[in-house]
């Protein structure tokens, strides 16, 4: 393949006066040069990139400002995985990796998923709004579009099987200008007949008011996408991974891929902090680090440019203001931006959520929040829901998305490296598309393996995961029955979210035990409420310490160094001194 | 499921609930107390410092001592109590209330003629004061830190910063210092301290812990454990002033930035909440807007002295015991802008208002102030104060029965600065 | 002259105390206890200490204690060291002595809770 870069370079010259040049190498557009500022790097790469193209921009521009810290990795090394030779190694414990691992267990395969963090869904998959998108903004020709409708329809079954909270609540896109209505009607018809987004309807302002009375009173009409829904994003990721484990996969947390040995276009060995692995097939689902993994595998043909977004979670008391997903559209802003622009919604757990924003950054793991993000989101979303108030915020968090410059997924076999599959560039609506993408990726892996070995279906595969019972959701008879079996279900530890000691112990006994305060919090929700663990965190810490049989000071909040206390107040030598 | 009937069910076994239960019992009510923790006593269990009970017992007691005195009184009366029992919902019925609870034995439903909600308060969190940055371990509310230190004997900090000069923050500054931690300073966004003056003296100045007013924490650093905080100066609107940030290395941030009455159960019953107190609007008998539902202690409004909590709760318990349904005849108590709030916010003229305790906080630091109560323009009560500060709650006892009130009465509370009055004269 | 904030009661009176030729004058106090406090602050400041002591019972790792009377302010950390060195091995109750006549200061360190006794009866909690 050849591609003429002269037009692109003329544009780059005009913009950056010869400091950046594009060249077509190995079927990629490689950008080289030096730019001082990161926004210029983004701008240069965007100039060179074509949306949804399979020819990707590889960013090799030197940018002194954009010196990211090295990838955070576990500080320890051991040999627990030394010599392991899984049929498939999945790199990354986000929604992509977890769902792929689960789909892979439909075959009789030795599957190993490695995740460098201390829990699953610790990055983008755990730090997003949990919307199950309808696809209204997606046109044919992209992978996002290819998967969205199929995947959206799968959610009822998947979430039922995996016992994950999912509600198909519908999404409203609000418009304040009545003159836009014919245009938007055409847009929806185009989406319906051209792109197959068939359930979208236009509703009047009056109809909207009946369905969601507290949304923008100025809205003249709205797009309603009934297929949109809300899911607990980390809940789904954990459930997928647990079901994978239940069906024979192995999940190794705190395991970072540090390097690979590639010979004749084949990955021979993968080095981790827990030993060297010899997988037959490697799946790259490494999120913001997919490009680094691709490079290790000698198959780098795309670049990831991190984009952070901050969501705010509001008190459940504000959760009653609406029961769906909604946003007001500013068409002009929408055309410029590369995101859906955020919205306001009631989460799967009944909180109100506002966000996210979208900010380009070079820092892949910086999940700090900034006051500016909250301001931007609330300024915008107060138009959607006038009652929205910063006073109801109980927490906020930042996630970093992993887009390519083509703003589409990369789901394909390695271009140079044969035993590699990329599941990269996964950004919104990647949570929605995951169930369908996972089936395809797993099939690709099975096909690859069957070139060398017989790959049989796993007759014992059980798609059903029995989750931890949420007693607060149950009727009293059901609840009483469970307490009779296990009295710990009757001891409420977290008052805000009504979580019992029994549920916390269940989380600790779950297939992928993450005995940290955050691990337990993600699984059964103590500390997720309005007091943010003020009352229950000492109790939860104590339960974890007792369960593990370790001193309280060894229990962590999340990562390795995140201890909660430093040991006893009283040492046998005597008290302290100022 | 078990079923049983009571005159009064008290929810919460802290100082308010205990006093309410004892008082309701002493007024011949059949009482049940429900407490979610394993032990009675509420937050006082972890308030091991002294200074409690000076008004109530004429002694300087520690929190556990004060609580246990009430527990002794409670037990001496053989009042039934369910501990480690959590109220999941309350349903209002024609006869009264149906209280659904869960504990190790299962689900139980209890019926009551009247309810006393003594559910206490919770602490404001880091995100509620808009602290940004990372999410490391080592950020605690003062009460959580106090739980670790005083109940579990664990050190949550070696070198810490305290945000907010509320009393628990000051108490924890001293407590952590005594246990060998370094407290780098107490930072307060307001231009005046939030805690009691004597706590500033005996918790900070005694230990040379600096207090920085008009400063706040704007950001935290550290991925796993807290490594430092960013301190910013704030302007008169308590907004951080750009360019004033400095970084302070520490391993813990302890927040004492305010308490919020817990009224989720009250709200589920339709009780209307006063945005100023964040507790229910109530009348002179501590009855909320929902007949038969009484509120007391820190659930009603945040107190600084437990002695007042006990007193107010005893009044609520008595009123609940004596409660008979009757139509309300409300007359509001208006407090002018110089008050932060007053409790109660109204009187029910169909009830006995001869001895009503009125609690208030001033809206600012005032020296030489005269409090004046007028009914229809006529002054019915006045009192002089040498100084009033918002952190220090004041109490009055008024005989509204003597003022000849009607439903149309206009009752106003005002604070007049003496200096102003003199100038006017 | 010395500015003193009274810590006797929650009023927190702000007082000025001065000593001249052995005579102490106090202004700003609202009661006799305030006067006494100001005098003691000038001559021999005293404080109480509240803390916890270790126990041998895993369900109650620490027991709250306080001194039974005031001690010289300068000796607080000395007393804390004594408190830190103790481990309670019997189920003491509220008011029971943990350290008798601590450092010869004429006051005891006493337990301020019945938690050990109660837990002994009930056997554990959450």
């Amino acid at each position: 393949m050849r591609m003429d870069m002269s037009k692109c370079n003329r544009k780059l010259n005009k913009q950056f006066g010869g400091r950046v040049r594009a060249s077509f190498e190995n079927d990629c557009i490689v950008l080289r040069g030096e730019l001082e500022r990161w926004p210029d790097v983004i701008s240069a790469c965007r100039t060179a990139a074509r949306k949804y193209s399979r020819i990707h921009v590889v960013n090799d521009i030197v940018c002194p400002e954009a010196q990211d810290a090295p990838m955070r990795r576990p500080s320890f090394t051991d040999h627990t995985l030394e010599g392991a030779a899984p049929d498939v190694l999945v790199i990354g414990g986000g929604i992509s990796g977890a769902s792929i691992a689960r789909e892979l267990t439909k075959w009789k395969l030795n599957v190993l998923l490695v995740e460098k963090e201390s829990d699953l869904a610790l990055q983008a998959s755990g730090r997003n709004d949990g919307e199950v998108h309808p696809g209204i903004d997606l046109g044919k020709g992209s992978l996002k579009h290819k998967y969205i409708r199929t995947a959206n329809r799968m959610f009822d079954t998947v979430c039922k099987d995996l016992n994950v909270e999912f509600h198909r609540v519908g999404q409203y896109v609000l418009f304040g200008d009545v003159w836009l209505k014919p245009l938007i009607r055409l847009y929806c018809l185009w989406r319906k007949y051209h792109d197959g987004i068939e359930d979208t309807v236009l509703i009047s302002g009056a109809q909207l008011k009946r369905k969601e009375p507290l949304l923008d009173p100025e809205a003249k009409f709205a797009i309603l996408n009934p297929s949109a829904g809300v899911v607990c994003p980390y809940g789904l990721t954990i459930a997928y991974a647990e079901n994978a484990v239940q069906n024979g996969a192995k999940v190794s947390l705190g395991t970072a891929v540090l390097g690979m040995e590639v010979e004749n276009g084949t990955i021979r060995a993968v080095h981790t902090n827990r030993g060297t692995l010899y997988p037959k097939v490697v799946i790259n689902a490494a999120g913001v680090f997919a490009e680094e993994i691709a490079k290790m595998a000698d198959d780098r043909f795309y670049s990831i440019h991190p984009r952070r977004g901050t969501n705010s979670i509001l008190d459940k008391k504000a959760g009653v203001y609406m029961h769906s997903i909604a946003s007001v559209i500013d068409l002009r802003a929408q055309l410029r931006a590369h995101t859906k622009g955020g919205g306001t919604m009631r989460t799967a757990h009944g909180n109100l959520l506002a966000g996210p924003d979208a900010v380009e950054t070079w820092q892949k793991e910086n999940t700090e929040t900034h006051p500016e993000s909250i301001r931007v989101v609330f300024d915008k979303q107060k138009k959607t829901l006038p009652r929205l108030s910063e006073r109801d915020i109980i927490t906020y968090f930042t996630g970093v998305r992993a887009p390519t410059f083509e703003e589409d997924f990369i789901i394909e076999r390695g271009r140079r490296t044969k035993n590699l599959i990329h599941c990269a560039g996964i950004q919104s609506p990647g949570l929605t598309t995951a169930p369908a993408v996972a089936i395809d990726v797993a099939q690709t892996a099975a096909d690859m393996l069957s070139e060398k070995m017989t790959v049989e279906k796993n007759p014992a595969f059980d798609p059903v995961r029995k989750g931890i019972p949420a007693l607060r959701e149950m009727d009293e008879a059901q609840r009483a029955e469970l307490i009779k079996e296990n009295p710990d279900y009757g001891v409420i530890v977290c008052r805000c979210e009504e979580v019992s000691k029994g549920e916390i112990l269940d989380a600790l006994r779950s297939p992928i035990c993450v005995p940290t305060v955050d691990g337990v919090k993600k699984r059964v929700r103590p500390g997720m409420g309005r007091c943010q663990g003020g009352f229950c965190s000492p109790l939860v810490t104590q339960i974890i310490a007792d369960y593990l049989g370790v001193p309280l000071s060894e229990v962590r909040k999340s990562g390795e160094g995140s201890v909660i206390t430093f040991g006893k107040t009283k040492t046998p030598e005597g008290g302290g001194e100022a | 499921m078990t079923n049983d009937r009571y005159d009064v069910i008290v929810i919460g076994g802290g100082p308010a609930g205990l006093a309410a239960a004892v008082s309701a019992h002493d007024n011949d009510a059949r009482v049940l107390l429900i407490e979610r923790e394993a032990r009675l006593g509420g937050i006082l269990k972890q308030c091991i410092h002294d200074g409690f009970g000076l008004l109530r017992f004429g002694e300087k007691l520690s929190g556990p001592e004060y609580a246990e005195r009430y527990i002794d009184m409670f037990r001496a009366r053989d009042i039934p109590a369910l501990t480690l029992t959590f109220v999941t919902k309350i349903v209002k019925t024609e006869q009264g209330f149906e209280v659904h609870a869960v504990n190790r034995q299962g689900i139980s439903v209890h019926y009551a003629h009247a309810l006393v909600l003594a559910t206490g308060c919770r602490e404001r969190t880091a995100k509620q004061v808009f602290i940004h940055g990372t999410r490391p371990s080592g950020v605690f509310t003062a009460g959580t830190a106090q739980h670790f230190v005083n109940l579990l004997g664990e050190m949550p900090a070696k070198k810490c910063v305290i945000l907010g000069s509320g009393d628990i923050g000051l108490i924890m500054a001293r407590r952590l210092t005594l246990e060998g931690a370094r407290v780098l300073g107490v930072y307060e966004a307001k231009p005046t301290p939030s805690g009691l003056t004597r706590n500033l003296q005996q918790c900070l100045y005694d230990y040379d812990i600096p207090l920085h007013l008009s400063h706040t924490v704007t950001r935290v650093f550290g991925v796993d454990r807290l490594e430092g905080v960013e301190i910013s100066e704030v302007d008169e609107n308590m907004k951080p002033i750009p360019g004033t940030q400095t970084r302070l290395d520490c391993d813990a941030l302890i927040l004492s930035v305010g308490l919020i009455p817990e009224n989720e159960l009250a709200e589920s019953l339709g009780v209307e909440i006063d945005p100023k107190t964040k507790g229910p609007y109530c009348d002179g008998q501590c009855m909320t807007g929902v007949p038969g539902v009484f509120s007391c202690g820190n659930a009603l409004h945040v107190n600084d002295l437990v002695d007042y909590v006990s007193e107010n709760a005893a009044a609520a318990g008595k009123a609940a015991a004596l409660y008979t349904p009757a139509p309300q005849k409300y007359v509001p108590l208006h407090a002018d802008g110089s008050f932060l709030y007053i409790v109660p916010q109204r009187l029910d003229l169909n009830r006995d208002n001869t001895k009503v305790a009125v609690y208030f906080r001033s809206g600012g630091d005032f020296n030489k102030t005269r409090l004046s109560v007028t009914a229809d323009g006529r002054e019915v009560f006045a009192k002089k104060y040498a100084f009033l500060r918002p952190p220090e709650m004041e109490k009055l006892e008024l005989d509204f029965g003597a003022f000849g009130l009607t439903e149309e009465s206009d009752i106003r509370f005002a604070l007049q600065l003496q200096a102003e009055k003199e100038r006017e004269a | 002259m010395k500015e003193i904030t009274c810590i006797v009661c929650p009023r927190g009176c702000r007082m000025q105390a001065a000593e001249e030729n052995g005579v102490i004058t106090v202004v700003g106090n609202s009661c006799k206890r305030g006067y006494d406090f100001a005098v003691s602050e000038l001559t021999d400041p005293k404080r109480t200490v509240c803390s916890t002591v270790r126990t041998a019972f895993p369900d109650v790792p620490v027991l709250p204690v306080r001194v039974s009377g005031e001690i010289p302010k300068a000796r607080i950390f000395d007393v804390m060291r004594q408190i830190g060195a103790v481990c309670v091995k019997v189920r003491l109750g509220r008011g029971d002595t943990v350290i008798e006549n601590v450092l010869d200061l004429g006051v005891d360190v006493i337990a301020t809770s019945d938690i050990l006794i109660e837990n002994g009866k009930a056997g554990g909690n959450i």
Side-chain angles (χ1 to χ4, degrees):
Chain A
M1 195 168 19
R2 284 217 39 83
M3 201 171 157
D4 185 9
M5 288 283 98
S6 51
K7 199 174 148 200
C8 173
N9 275 321
R10 272 200 304 277
K11 278 200 226 164
L12 287 171
N13 273 339
K14 211 171 137 193
Q15 260 185 292
F16 302 103
R19 280 175 294 154
V20 180
R21 255 196 88 72
S23 57
F24 192 73
E25 297 167 21
N26 296 323
D27 297 342
C28 308
I29 303 165
V30 182
L31 265 70
R32 290 197 186 84
E34 182 163 341
L35 289 171
E36 265 165 42
R37 296 189 56 248
W38 183 249
D40 289 341
V41 175
I42 297 292
S43 163
C45 292
R46 281 208 179 124
T47 302
R50 224 178 70 235
K51 201 171 182 185
Y52 298 165
S53 171
R54 314 310 318 156
I55 297 167
H56 296 279
V57 165
V58 172
N59 169 24
D60 275 331
I61 302 170
V62 176
C63 179
E65 169 185 88
Q67 298 304 313
D68 197 6
M71 182 182 91
R72 276 172 44 216
R73 42 167 288 201
S75 68
F76 64 90
T77 51
D78 61 27
H79 300 286
T80 47
L81 295 178
E82 185 58 49
D87 296 321
V88 187
L89 171 69
V90 181
I91 302 170
I95 185 63
S96 299
S99 56
I100 292 166
R102 188 260 198 166
E103 293 306 322
L104 281 167
T105 57
K106 289 179 177 167
W107 285 276
K108 278 188 179 166
L109 292 173
N110 180 348
V111 179
L112 172 65
L113 182 151
V114 292
E115 165 57 53
K116 76 184 179 72
E117 302 289 343
S118 60
D119 197 354
L120 300 150
L122 224 56
Q123 298 301 333
S125 301
R127 299 166 178 271
N128 68 83
D129 61 12
E131 177 174 353
V132 175
H133 289 272
I136 185 65
D137 52 343
L138 298 174
K140 248 185 194 161
S142 64
L143 284 174
K144 289 178 178 177
H145 177 266
K146 176 185 168 188
Y147 288 107
I148 190 91
R149 294 307 295 168
T150 328
N152 179 298
R153 278 190 291 269
M154 288 169 72
F155 262 78
D156 303 274
T157 313
V158 164
C159 291
K160 188 165 169 276
D161 281 350
L162 296 177
N163 196 351
V164 175
E165 200 87 6
F166 167 65
H167 307 290
R168 209 176 273 285
V169 292
Q171 176 208 40
Y172 299 92
V173 185
L174 279 51
F175 294 86
D177 295 313
V178 74
W179 58 266
L180 274 173
K181 201 166 179 177
L183 280 172
I184 299 299
R185 175 164 290 133
L186 276 178
Y187 175 85
C188 290
L189 286 172
W190 173 260
R191 282 285 181 247
K192 183 171 180 176
Y193 293 108
H194 181 265
D195 301 319
I197 317 291
E198 63 283 278
D199 57 352
T200 299
V201 288
L202 278 195
I203 60 168
S204 69
Q207 283 170 308
L208 174 70
K209 191 156 252 152
R210 273 198 297 280
K211 288 176 188 285
E212 287 285 12
L214 299 178
L215 295 184
D216 179 16
E218 308 285 303
K220 298 292 184 294
F221 69 99
I223 297 176
L224 164 60
N225 296 300
S227 63
V230 288
V231 71
C232 171
Y234 44 86
L236 181 64
T237 308
I238 292 168
Y240 259 125
E242 286 187 0
N243 189 235
V245 168
Q246 219 181 302
N247 286 303
K250 199 172 169 222
V251 170
S252 183
L253 301 172
T255 308
V257 170
L258 305 173
M260 292 185 192
E261 287 169 37
V262 184
E263 253 174 60
N264 305 323
T266 303
I267 300 165
R268 295 284 175 214
V270 175
H271 301 293
T272 77
N273 58 314
R274 316 193 81 163
T276 298
L277 313 174
Y278 303 91
K280 293 195 180 73
V281 168
V282 173
I283 294 172
N284 174 8
V288 284
F289 290 107
E291 184 181 350
E292 281 77 355
I293 295 294
K295 195 174 174 187
M296 286 179 201
D298 197 19
D299 201 48
R300 175 175 175 245
F301 60 88
Y302 52 87
S303 281
I304 302 290
H305 61 109
R307 189 156 60 212
R308 68 174 153 82
T310 299
N311 283 299
S312 298
I313 298 280
L314 283 72
D315 198 303
K316 283 183 176 174
K317 284 183 207 168
V320 302
Y321 296 164
M322 60 189 289
H323 65 269
S324 62
I325 306 158
S327 56
V328 171
I329 286 295
D330 176 351
L331 272 186
R332 278 156 301 228
Q334 200 70 10
L335 290 174
R336 278 198 311 272
H338 286 281
T339 87
K340 293 174 183 58
T344 306
M345 65 165 76
R346 183 177 176 177
T347 67
H349 297 290
N351 293 91
L352 201 61
L353 176 147
D357 60 344
V359 181
E360 294 291 340
T361 170
W362 63 85
Q363 294 172 303
K364 297 192 165 176
E365 293 183 288
N366 186 341
T367 52
E368 286 184 46
T369 58
H370 303 268
E372 181 66 9
S373 302
I374 309 287
R375 200 185 57 73
V376 166
V377 165
F378 275 73
D379 279 357
K380 188 171 173 194
Q381 297 308 330
K382 277 176 186 171
K383 292 192 195 92
T384 312
L385 179 70
R387 281 213 194 174
L388 192 71
S389 161
E390 290 91 334
R391 277 202 304 273
D392 290 323
I393 290 179
I394 59 175
T395 190
Y396 31 83
F397 55 84
T398 296
V400 183
R401 309 167 179 96
T404 62
F405 288 103
E406 293 69 36
E407 301 293 342
D408 197 10
F409 303 155
I410 295 171
I411 297 163
E412 60 182 77
R413 292 177 179 225
R415 292 190 181 178
R416 287 188 295 272
T417 303
K418 292 188 284 276
N419 59 341
L420 174 68
I421 304 169
H422 297 276
C423 181
I426 307 296
Q427 55 163 316
S428 178
L431 176 69
T432 311
T433 51
V437 168
I439 289 175
D440 263 17
V441 172
Q443 183 67 55
T444 309
D447 292 347
M448 257 183 189
L449 285 164
S450 49
E451 288 161 17
K452 288 179 213 145
M453 59 187 263
T454 27
V455 178
E456 286 172 57
K457 282 277 179 187
N458 174 9
F461 176 80
D462 181 0
V464 177
R465 162 193 175 256
K466 192 167 171 283
I468 298 166
L471 275 86
R472 79 185 86 83
E473 314 279 348
M474 295 180 180
D475 63 46
E476 290 189 338
Q478 242 180 323
R479 200 165 170 169
E481 197 55 43
L482 276 174
I483 296 171
K484 211 157 107 190
E485 280 168 31
N486 177 6
D488 282 341
Y489 285 134
V491 178
I492 302 297
V493 172
C494 165
R495 53 182 74 172
C496 304
E497 293 290 314
E498 227 177 288
V499 184
S500 67
K501 185 180 181 182
E503 290 161 80
I504 293 168
L505 287 170
D506 282 354
L508 292 169
R509 293 183 192 118
S510 65
I512 303 167
C513 171
V514 179
T516 62
V517 172
D518 282 359
V520 169
K521 179 176 166 184
K522 273 190 171 168
R523 283 160 180 79
V524 289
R525 294 184 64 76
M528 284 282 191
R530 53 181 69 93
C531 92
Q532 286 287 294
F535 286 114
C536 69
S537 65
L539 305 175
V540 173
T541 311
Q542 183 75 65
I543 292 170
I544 295 170
D546 291 348
Y547 177 80
L548 297 176
V550 299
L552 203 84
S553 53
E554 281 180 28
V555 178
R556 290 170 289 115
K557 175 180 183 282
S558 177
E560 271 177 68
S562 64
V563 293
I564 292 158
T565 66
F566 295 117
K568 299 273 171 216
T569 50
K570 311 288 167 179
T571 54
E573 301 85 59
E577 202 171 7
Chain B
M1 286 204 193
T2 60
N3 297 335
D4 46 359
R5 288 179 187 283
Y6 297 90
D7 298 320
V8 177
I9 291 180
V10 177
I11 298 171
L18 289 166
V22 164
S23 155
H25 173 93
D26 290 351
N27 283 281
D28 301 325
R30 221 182 137 229
V31 181
L32 170 70
L33 182 142
I34 302 178
E35 163 56 42
R36 57 188 159 201
E37 289 192 43
R39 291 175 59 224
L40 296 173
I43 205 70
L44 285 182
K45 295 194 298 289
Q46 67 184 52
C47 301
I48 63 155
H49 55 281
D50 67 357
F52 301 93
L54 224 50
L55 300 176
R56 175 64 183 79
F57 297 110
E59 276 180 74
K60 227 171 164 179
L61 302 173
S62 71
E65 287 172 299
Y66 187 98
E68 288 177 19
R69 286 204 183 186
Y70 267 94
I71 294 170
D72 291 347
M73 287 184 241
F74 178 81
R75 293 221 172 113
R77 285 162 175 77
D78 270 330
I79 302 170
L82 291 168
T83 53
L84 214 53
T85 302
F86 183 87
V87 174
T88 52
K89 69 173 176 192
I90 305 176
V91 183
K92 194 169 166 21
T93 64
E94 269 176 43
Q95 294 77 37
F97 303 92
E98 215 179 271
V99 178
H100 296 243
V102 55
N103 61 18
R104 294 185 74 91
Q105 281 69 52
I107 306 277
S108 54
V109 184
H110 314 272
Y111 301 89
H113 183 58
L115 291 179
V116 178
L117 301 179
T119 43
C121 58
R122 65 169 177 272
E123 297 177 279
R124 283 176 84 196
T125 64
K127 300 289 166 73
Q128 288 175 316
V129 292
F130 298 103
I131 294 175
H132 283 274
T134 50
R135 309 178 92 188
S137 70
V139 180
F140 303 95
T141 55
T144 307
Q146 195 178 43
H147 186 140
F148 277 115
V149 178
N150 291 349
L151 296 180
L152 300 175
E154 289 280 330
M155 279 302 269
K158 284 189 280 197
K159 191 167 128 187
C160 70
V161 161
I162 295 184
L163 176 63
S165 57
D167 286 311
I168 327 167
L170 304 179
I171 297 287
M172 282 313 292
R174 174 177 64 182
R175 184 75 190 107
L176 287 165
T177 304
L178 284 175
E179 292 295 351
R182 263 187 74 202
V183 178
L184 299 177
V186 174
Y187 293 83
E188 169 61 62
K190 290 195 231 99
T192 53
S194 301
L196 297 173
T197 313
R198 68 164 177 168
N199 283 336
L200 295 172
Q201 179 61 46
Q202 64 184 355
C203 297
L204 300 190
Y205 307 150
D206 274 5
Y207 297 90
D208 297 321
I209 299 167
L211 170 65
H212 304 273
L213 297 171
S214 299
H215 280 79
T216 193
V217 171
T218 39
R219 195 171 160 197
V220 297
F221 304 99
V223 172
D224 283 339
R225 178 79 193 189
L226 184 77
E227 288 163 11
V229 297
E230 179 187 86
I231 308 276
S232 295
E233 224 177 295
V234 299
D235 62 20
E236 55 275 17
N237 301 317
M238 300 214 286
K239 289 264 175 297
I241 302 170
T244 60
Q245 307 92 319
T246 50
R247 183 181 158 141
L248 209 53
D249 288 343
C250 57
D251 56 35
L253 170 64
I254 290 172
L255 299 154
S256 175
V257 287
L259 300 170
I260 305 163
E262 288 229 281
N263 280 296
E264 280 64 40
L265 280 175
E267 284 177 280
S268 77
L269 284 162
V271 167
E272 206 192 336
I273 303 294
D274 180 351
K276 287 186 190 155
T277 57
K278 302 200 169 59
Y281 283 106
C282 70
D283 63 23
Q285 279 67 37
C286 305
M287 192 167 89
T288 67
V290 176
V293 178
F294 297 80
S295 175
C296 62
N298 281 350
L300 179 56
H301 65 125
V302 175
N303 290 255
D304 32 62
L305 295 182
V306 71
D307 308 65
Y308 284 140
V309 165
S310 301
E311 177 192 85
N312 159 252
K318 181 181 174 183
L322 303 178
Y323 171 72
T324 48
Q328 279 77 46
K329 212 163 123 190
Y330 285 140
V331 53
L333 303 180
H334 299 287
D336 75 2
S338 55
F339 289 91
L340 203 58
Y341 66 74
I342 67 166
V343 171
Q345 296 88 340
R346 61 194 173 204
L347 299 175
D348 179 359
L349 297 182
N350 285 339
R351 310 273 165 191
D352 174 23
N353 291 309
T354 51
K355 243 176 102 178
V356 174
V358 176
Y359 302 94
F360 72 88
R361 288 178 194 275
S362 66
D365 280 18
F366 303 140
N367 289 327
K368 289 196 179 153
T369 313
R370 184 172 179 277
L371 177 139
S372 160
V373 184
T374 57
D376 301 318
R378 174 172 55 92
E379 184 165 274
V380 290
F381 178 84
K383 188 176 174 181
K384 284 183 186 167
Y385 291 90
F387 48 81
L388 289 171
R389 293 180 56 221
E392 281 155 30
M393 195 187 76
E394 298 288 338
K395 185 215 157 187
L396 298 169
E397 200 165 85
L398 294 178
D399 178 3
F400 286 100
F403 303 157
L405 302 178
T406 69
E407 242 174 318
E408 278 71 50
S409 291
D410 182 28
I411 310 171
R412 298 195 170 267
F413 284 67
L415 289 176
Q416 304 154 335
L417 296 182
Q418 292 292 87
E420 267 175 37
K421 268 200 108 177
E422 279 157 28
R423 230 179 296 129
E424 276 166 29
Chain C
M1 203 177 62
K2 202 180 166 195
E3 287 278 340
I4 296 168
T5 303
C6 185
I7 63 169
V8 175
C9 88
R11 271 190 93 92
C13 292
R14 274 160 280 194
M15 311 182 284
Q16 286 93 40
E19 186 182 348
E20 212 175 312
N21 307 322
V23 180
I24 294 173
T25 51
V26 179
V27 289
N29 60 309
S30 323
C31 69
K32 173 75 168 60
R33 285 186 300 174
Y35 174 83
D36 294 344
F37 176 74
V39 171
S40 129
E41 282 294 279
L42 281 194
T43 53
D44 177 20
K46 299 210 157 167
R47 293 292 183 269
T48 55
V49 176
C50 298
S51 185
T52 57
V53 291
R54 277 184 302 141
T55 85
F57 306 96
D59 54 324
V60 184
V62 284
L63 176 70
V65 295
R66 65 174 168 93
V67 286
S68 59
E70 293 190 318
I71 58 160
K73 190 171 151 185
R75 303 298 302 274
I76 289 174
F77 282 99
D78 297 336
V79 171
M80 276 303 292
R81 258 188 299 275
Q82 299 297 311
I83 288 173
V86 175
C87 179
V88 170
K89 297 196 174 72
V90 289
R91 291 196 182 267
L92 298 177
R94 194 163 94 232
D96 289 349
T97 302
V98 177
I99 306 173
E100 210 175 325
N101 189 16
V102 61
L103 295 173
D104 265 334
L105 294 168
V107 298
D108 301 334
V109 173
I110 58 168
T112 64
S113 171
D114 280 338
I115 182 171
L116 280 176
I117 293 173
E118 277 200 28
N119 271 40
K121 279 187 230 151
N125 55 26
I126 68 162

